[in-house]
Amino acid sequence: MKLNRFKVFLVFFVILLMTMSSVAATCNIIIITDPTGQDPNGAAAGSMSFAENMFQSTFLMSKNNNFAVLSGGTGTSDTRLDSIVQAIASLENNASAASVASIASQYKGARLVVGGPYMGAAVGGSFDAYVITVDDASNQIKVTPYSSGVATLQPGQKGAIIHLRNTEGNPMYGTAGTVRKETAMNIGKMIRDGYPATTILSEAMGEVAKDSGEKYGGGGVNLISGMSTGDMFTPREMNTTGIPMDEEYSKTCDDCGWATGFPAAEAYDKCPVCGGTLRIVYAYEALGNALTVSPNAVSVSVYGSDKPGLASTTKEIVEASVAKYGYDASAIAGSINRGINNGLLMGVDHVEPKDINVKQGSKAVGVYYNALPGDRSSPSWDLPIDGNILNVLGSVQTAVGIILILLVVFRSRLLKSFQNR
């Protein structure tokens, strides 16, 4: 069953390679801050590049076995694919990270970065990388460069591996060597200071994006909790670049937690839920937020409508409401209804507390909508007079308007007729 899941990924990867130009991730990072696996944010990995077509298939993750395979290199797409297939087969047979990474050397130009919280990490094939280790007892940071063979972060060791090269055509070409070293040192300092792996990955990818230009997503994975950024930053179309990791991604309200992404975020200067000030979140920060398990995280399920954007916007509103009012069905319903009134949610009717299924113990909220009939985008107004009266008034107004038009059009004829009389 586990192997079948990888086969699905690989089939998708093959289809991509057949329809797009060659691409390779030029930045691969894997970070392990908790080799015991107790910290839900204790191991993370990510990839990005200046190149086009940075799809999620550049990094594969096993949620059951807690490992990731990051691919790249200077070789062709088919050699990278062959190396990935062999690497996954070896990992399924409990091979070590070092032996799996060494597979890349069998394929011209390929690179593999492999690892997880329990197996350590390794890079092999065509690479320029640093291995970072942090000693538990002395907090000593060691940053070692490697460019051939296999470089390994041993099992049970706190540390990281960062590979970075510049892509041809990148206007910041030539910066990779300096940025690779500086980022490696900063990763070591953050590990020493106790930051979780997901936060360190976010900061490291932001630094690489800004200072080397290798900035397009790509994305990341949380190797202990099994979370992924999915298609948050990957290209929307073939042969295009992904979202730049050093640019604005969303706006969020620190008072209540409401957030919305760009370009929709450009329309908001204040939070529509509580009126608070909105803070700009950059893509690399959004990556860290998406991968980091928080005590305040809420699982939101939406039922009753499949309108585009409804589920994601509802999740943002519910998270904001829970952060401010707690798991209160009435408060959540009120927040959702304000979102409907403000035009944030369209195509659904107002909800009542009975439409909100709250399970505080599992931090889950279910929202049951009634879709509006026809093409209506918002509920009918709650007015103090019957809507039929408005229809009558509208008809009268229309009739009066027609009479006025007739008077304007035929005014000269009417005036002449009146004068003749």
Side-chain angles (χ1 to χ4, degrees):
M1 188 68 180
K2 291 178 289 186
L3 192 56
N4 286 339
R5 188 180 298 109
F6 279 114
K7 287 179 180 177
V8 172
F9 276 120
L10 294 176
V11 169
F12 179 64
F13 195 16
V14 171
I15 294 172
L16 286 178
L17 296 177
M18 293 173 62
T19 55
M20 68 184 186
S21 59
S22 180
V23 61
T26 49
C27 176
N28 301 122
I29 304 174
I30 185 164
I31 301 167
I32 301 171
T33 56
D34 180 14
T36 69
Q38 299 300 306
D39 180 359
N41 304 309
S47 292
M48 59 182 177
S49 176
F50 182 78
E52 300 174 342
N53 296 320
M54 282 299 298
F55 290 93
Q56 191 183 0
S57 53
T58 57
F59 51 94
L60 299 177
M61 172 180 64
S62 169
K63 293 184 179 181
N64 293 321
N65 295 334
N66 305 102
F67 65 72
V69 177
L70 313 180
S71 65
T74 59
T76 60
S77 297
D78 57 341
T79 60
R80 287 198 302 277
L81 175 60
D82 290 341
S83 68
I84 291 170
V85 172
Q86 189 174 343
I88 291 172
S90 297
L91 286 166
E92 289 290 336
N93 289 320
N94 299 316
S96 68
S99 64
V100 174
S102 68
I103 291 171
S105 300
Q106 303 173 25
Y107 300 90
K108 184 178 179 181
R111 176 177 66 259
L112 289 173
V113 180
V114 180
Y118 311 113
M119 68 172 62
V123 55
S126 174
F127 66 88
D128 292 294
Y130 278 91
V131 175
I132 305 106
T133 59
V134 179
D135 185 81
D136 266 335
S138 64
N139 277 333
Q140 182 181 8
I141 302 169
K142 187 176 181 181
V143 178
T144 308
Y146 293 91
S147 59
S148 62
V150 176
T152 305
L153 176 68
Q154 294 297 329
Q157 173 72 60
K158 283 185 181 179
I161 293 177
I162 176 172
H163 167 274
L164 177 63
R165 285 176 177 163
N166 281 129
T167 306
E168 292 289 344
N170 181 347
M172 300 181 74
Y173 193 89
T175 59
T178 300
V179 176
R180 183 169 61 246
K181 182 177 181 179
E182 291 177 350
T183 306
M185 293 174 67
N186 288 332
I187 289 173
K189 292 175 183 177
M190 286 187 282
I191 294 174
R192 177 198 63 193
D193 294 341
Y195 288 92
T198 50
T199 299
I200 299 172
L201 178 68
S202 165
E203 293 297 317
M205 291 182 77
E207 183 176 351
V208 168
K210 287 181 283 188
D211 296 343
S212 77
E214 302 297 321
K215 60 184 180 179
Y216 298 120
V221 291
N222 179 326
L223 293 173
I224 293 180
S225 300
M227 299 164 62
S228 170
T229 57
D231 61 357
M232 282 178 65
F233 312 105
T234 56
R236 301 294 182 260
E237 299 178 2
M238 294 290 188
N239 299 325
T240 58
T241 55
I243 293 176
M245 301 302 293
D246 60 342
E247 292 190 7
E248 297 174 350
Y249 187 80
S250 65
K251 287 183 180 180
T252 186
C253 175
D254 291 329
D255 293 333
C256 71
W258 180 87
T260 190
F262 283 91
E266 294 174 355
Y268 298 95
D269 295 321
K270 296 288 183 181
C271 175
V273 175
C274 72
T277 301
L278 294 176
R279 175 174 55 87
I280 293 175
V281 177
Y282 286 82
Y284 70 91
E285 295 174 316
L287 177 142
N289 295 337
L291 296 181
T292 302
V293 176
S294 167
N296 298 321
V298 184
S299 174
V300 181
S301 301
V302 174
Y303 308 94
S305 175
D306 58 356
K307 293 283 185 180
L310 180 67
S312 59
T313 305
T314 300
K315 185 177 189 298
E316 292 164 357
I317 292 174
V318 171
E319 288 176 340
S321 181
V322 169
K324 190 171 184 179
Y325 305 112
Y327 286 87
D328 185 313
S330 297
I332 294 172
S335 297
I336 289 174
N337 289 336
R338 283 193 294 275
I340 293 173
N341 295 338
N342 293 335
L344 294 175
L345 296 168
M346 304 181 71
V348 291
D349 207 346
H350 291 107
V351 296
E352 300 179 20
K354 65 180 179 62
D355 300 319
I356 311 298
N357 184 16
V358 174
K359 295 182 179 179
Q360 184 170 354
S362 57
K363 297 182 179 179
V365 175
V367 180
Y368 296 81
Y369 284 114
N370 286 319
L372 292 173
D375 296 326
R376 282 171 51 191
S377 60
S378 60
S380 57
W381 291 351
D382 184 12
L383 299 171
I385 59 176
D386 193 290
N388 291 326
I389 296 176
L390 287 180
N391 292 334
V392 173
L393 290 174
S395 299
V396 171
Q397 185 179 5
T398 302
V400 172
I402 292 173
I403 292 171
L404 290 173
I405 292 171
L406 290 173
L407 287 172
V408 170
V409 173
F410 298 105
R411 65 186 185 279
S412 59
R413 184 179 299 177
L414 290 169
L415 286 171
K416 185 176 181 180
S417 175
F418 178 77
Q419 290 168 354
N420 289 339
R421 290 191 179 189

